[in-house]
Amino acid sequence: MQKDFLRKLGLKAKNPGTWTGQEHLSGSARSLQSHSPVDGELIGSVTITTREQYEQVILRAQEAFLVWRQMPAPKRGEIVRQYGEVLREYKDPLGRLVSYEMGKSLQEGWGEVQEMIDICDFAVGLSRQLYGLSMHSERPGHRMYEQWHPLGIVGIISAFNFPVAVWSWNSMLALVCGDVCVWKASEKTPLCAIACQNLFQKVLKANNLPEGISSVVNGDYKVGEYLTKDARVPLVSATGSTRMGKIVGRTVAERLGRSLLELGGNNAIIITPSADLKIVLTGAVFGAVGTAGQRCTSTRRLIIHESQYEEVKKVLASAYKQLRIGDPLDPNIHVGPLIDTAAVENYQHAISEVKKSGGKFVVEGGVLSGPGYESGCYVKPCIAEAKNDWAIVQHETFAPILYLLKYKDIEEAIAIQNGVPQGLSSAIMTNNLREAERFLSVAGSDCGIANVNIGTSGAEIGGAFGGEKETGGGRESGSDSWKAYMRRQTNTINYSETIPLAQGIKFDL
Ligand code: UN1
């Protein structure tokens, strides 16, 4: 395979190198190897951050914070703007690395880098906003307002499925807010993190700014634990499974730190009698098989009106026959591999659970083998007729398995949609205004994201991203998500010559 993109990113293809992510750190004895799920080849290694190295990273970050927080926010925005420019320049090789190390299609790899560019643009604008309110004081000669200050070190724990975009949602906002970032990337996609880090360091160097403004630490959950337990890290933003989020949430809460959690989803599309089938098809199929079903926003359940059920089933089954599964770097391919063979086992386990529960497969699954599939990570997207209350349907399986559920009236459809522990994304396909508004009403979808006539995945960066219930409640990316990365200070200034007390309290001396 042609791997020129590795050379362009400074991650040489020959003799895979070992990276630490920081210039000041020397390699530790242990390293983490990154194998591509595309062809099983070793791409490179990163050193596992030792406790001592972690201490050095935090010290550097603390020092850098003292410099960074003094820089006016629009000047910090300028640094983020420059990073956006670098990303435009490296969109192609970085998108290819995402595709090669993570396994998503090249279109989606580029899309991820585009999401990074978009959030840079958003953050640049934000750097001139970060507004606080001004209030009317009840006391004469007083002024009251609030301002937002940076928190300090923001710990970012990200997952393999969006190995670059989710970091940038967090870090670009945190940076314009005046925070410095320490990133614990997924141990499954460490080279994507090194590539982003190297590109960011280029910008810091060119502007004579300290390296500690952005750092990477590598390793498994133990390295993540350094961050979650560390009182010097006031905010930990974690993206990943609900299981991981519960541990992170508990650990950070134990020290009264803040956490921002973006966890599992179990996203559904309601397909009503008036739905446009062309729209349903693209929305549902991309939602279910895009990123091989490994997005937290992936469509896992279709809740179909009984009058449409057979038709939708038929159309989907024939669409699934057209899917091309293979090397995600080949532009003709729709579905790449799963991240690793452990993910393949989870997929197989889910299929056998569906069968045990009495589910019928409309499109059969299976692991692919033979030429082009040697890594053992390629699976067939499948569709099963199921029931919402089965344990396996209630559970988020990170694989392209789609469950079909039937409903009679809209109330029942909404109850099914909401009847899972997770609450990230949801959608309704309808041309009926009453149904659409019913779905969006206070008694409608209980998710953080609710769409009409688009699928559950592929949110734009301008909106706040995240969900309720076991999805963790955090909001990242657009809207006013930036507030999570700052501390609010209320200021009351007395410019009168007396000191009246609030609530009319008299205290004469
Ligand atoms: C994720 O899967 O963790 O909405 C993030 C989407 C993407 C982000 C997904 N913009 O599908």
Side-chain angles (χ1 to χ4, degrees):
M1 175 189 278
Q2 179 57 259
K3 296 196 203 92
D4 207 31
F5 56 90
L6 291 175
R7 188 189 53 74
K8 287 189 183 144
L9 291 165
L11 305 168
K12 280 176 251 96
K14 273 195 180 160
N15 305 324
T18 304
W19 289 272
T20 63
Q22 266 78 220
E23 259 181 16
H24 65 93
L25 296 181
S26 54
S28 69
R30 287 165 59 240
S31 68
L32 193 71
Q33 309 206 314
S34 176
H35 289 270
S36 167
V38 175
D39 54 14
E41 272 186 41
L42 176 65
I43 318 174
S45 305
V46 298
T47 56
I48 294 175
T49 308
T50 62
R51 181 75 222 190
E52 294 69 37
Q53 289 180 328
Y54 172 79
E55 283 303 315
Q56 289 180 47
V57 165
I58 293 293
L59 290 178
R60 296 255 174 168
Q62 284 180 317
E63 278 168 27
F65 177 56
L66 301 181
V67 176
W68 188 241
R69 70 176 179 183
Q70 294 295 351
M71 230 167 126
K75 295 273 184 285
R76 296 193 293 254
E78 166 57 17
I79 301 303
V80 168
R81 190 195 65 74
Q82 290 179 28
Y83 190 51
E85 288 297 303
V86 170
L87 289 172
R88 283 177 171 86
E89 194 185 325
Y90 285 86
K91 179 171 173 179
D92 179 64
L94 189 55
R96 283 176 196 275
L97 174 64
V98 168
S99 177
Y100 187 54
E101 192 179 34
M102 185 276 158
K104 64 176 68 176
S105 73
L106 184 53
Q107 277 300 326
E108 294 182 68
W110 284 328
E112 225 196 296
V113 183
Q114 187 58 46
E115 257 188 71
M116 300 177 80
I117 295 169
D118 293 344
I119 198 77
C120 285
D121 289 354
F122 181 88
V124 175
L126 193 62
S127 72
R128 290 187 183 268
Q129 299 176 57
L130 305 174
Y131 301 130
L133 296 172
S134 168
M135 302 88 181
H136 289 269
S137 170
E138 67 190 47
R139 287 169 282 185
H142 282 58
R143 186 165 72 81
M144 192 158 65
Y145 77 112
E146 66 184 13
Q147 55 177 343
W148 294 86
H149 289 310
L151 290 170
I153 301 176
V154 172
I156 300 165
I157 299 177
S158 65
F160 75 87
N161 65 334
F162 272 79
V164 297
V166 170
W167 165 71
S168 67
W169 294 352
N170 282 283
S171 58
M172 296 309 128
L173 292 197
L175 289 171
V176 296
C177 289
D179 300 309
V180 296
C181 299
V182 177
W183 180 16
K184 152 66 181 82
S186 167
E187 65 268 38
K188 295 175 185 176
T189 49
L191 291 169
C192 282
I194 299 289
C196 292
Q197 168 74 357
N198 288 350
L199 294 177
F200 197 76
Q201 289 302 330
K202 241 169 109 112
V203 175
L204 289 179
K205 248 199 190 132
N207 290 276
N208 257 322
L209 285 164
E211 192 187 16
I213 290 170
S214 169
S215 313
V216 173
V217 290
N218 311 303
D220 61 11
Y221 71 95
K222 289 189 214 82
V223 178
E225 225 172 66
Y226 298 160
L227 283 171
T228 54
K229 290 192 170 157
D230 193 339
R232 294 167 298 181
V233 181
L235 171 67
V236 177
S237 173
T239 304
S241 66
T242 295
R243 199 188 66 82
M244 175 282 294
K246 284 183 178 166
I247 300 170
V248 169
R250 199 183 301 133
T251 314
V252 177
E254 183 76 19
R255 59 173 173 89
L256 297 181
R258 290 193 206 170
S259 53
L260 194 168
L261 302 174
E262 201 264 278
L263 313 173
N266 194 344
N267 319 297
I269 302 180
I270 298 174
I271 301 169
T272 68
S274 68
D276 180 329
L277 279 188
K278 269 199 326 292
I279 291 183
V280 167
L281 196 64
T282 306
V285 178
F286 179 73
V289 312
T291 328
Q294 299 170 106
R295 290 192 187 211
C296 55
T297 51
S298 289
T299 307
R300 313 227 171 266
R301 300 175 295 143
L302 292 186
I303 306 167
I304 312 167
H305 189 262
E306 56 183 4
S307 66
Q308 295 283 70
Y309 190 82
E310 291 305 321
E311 176 68 5
V312 171
K313 193 165 102 177
K314 204 175 81 209
V315 175
L316 281 174
S318 90
Y320 268 51
K321 285 206 191 89
Q322 324 285 319
L323 292 175
R324 287 183 293 271
I325 309 161
D327 179 351
L329 285 150
D330 173 344
N332 296 313
I333 288 293
H334 299 109
V335 185
L338 290 179
I339 184 68
D340 54 19
T341 50
V344 173
E345 278 166 32
N346 286 338
Y347 161 87
Q348 286 173 305
H349 171 75
I351 289 179
S352 78
E353 286 300 304
V354 172
K355 288 188 173 153
K356 263 195 236 159
S357 312
K360 211 176 113 243
F361 277 84
V362 175
V363 176
E364 289 285 342
V367 181
L368 294 161
S369 58
Y373 300 133
E374 288 88 350
S375 71
C377 298
Y378 292 86
V379 301
K380 287 195 227 163
C382 57
I383 305 179
E385 296 186 277
K387 291 269 181 298
N388 201 51
D389 57 2
W390 292 349
I392 192 63
V393 176
Q394 294 280 312
H395 176 80
E396 178 191 42
T397 302
F398 240 41
I401 305 175
L402 182 63
Y403 302 119
L404 303 188
L405 310 165
K406 208 185 275 183
Y407 81 90
K408 279 194 172 60
D409 61 57
I410 187 72
E411 299 306 318
E412 184 192 5
I414 292 171
I416 297 173
Q417 138 64 37
N418 291 345
V420 289
Q422 309 83 350
L424 179 56
S425 187
S426 59
I428 191 166
M429 299 291 186
T430 185
N431 283 321
N432 178 323
L433 178 72
R434 285 188 183 145
E435 275 178 348
E437 291 293 334
R438 173 71 193 79
F439 174 73
L440 301 175
S441 77
V442 61
S445 165
D446 64 2
C447 291
I449 298 171
N451 297 328
V452 177
N453 292 335
I454 59 168
T456 57
S457 67
E460 301 176 19
I461 60 97
F465 185 91
E468 307 303 333
K469 302 193 291 188
E470 286 196 358
T471 304
R475 291 296 185 278
E476 294 174 332
S477 189
S479 184
D480 64 352
S481 305
W482 60 271
K483 289 180 176 167
Y485 304 87
M486 302 197 87
R487 60 185 172 87
R488 185 198 311 243
Q489 187 175 66
T490 302
N491 307 114
T492 310
I493 299 147
N494 174 9
Y495 60 92
S496 76
E497 275 150 35
T498 57
I499 176 163
L501 300 180
Q503 296 89 43
I505 292 172
K506 293 267 170 283
F507 189 75
D508 296 324
L509 289 175

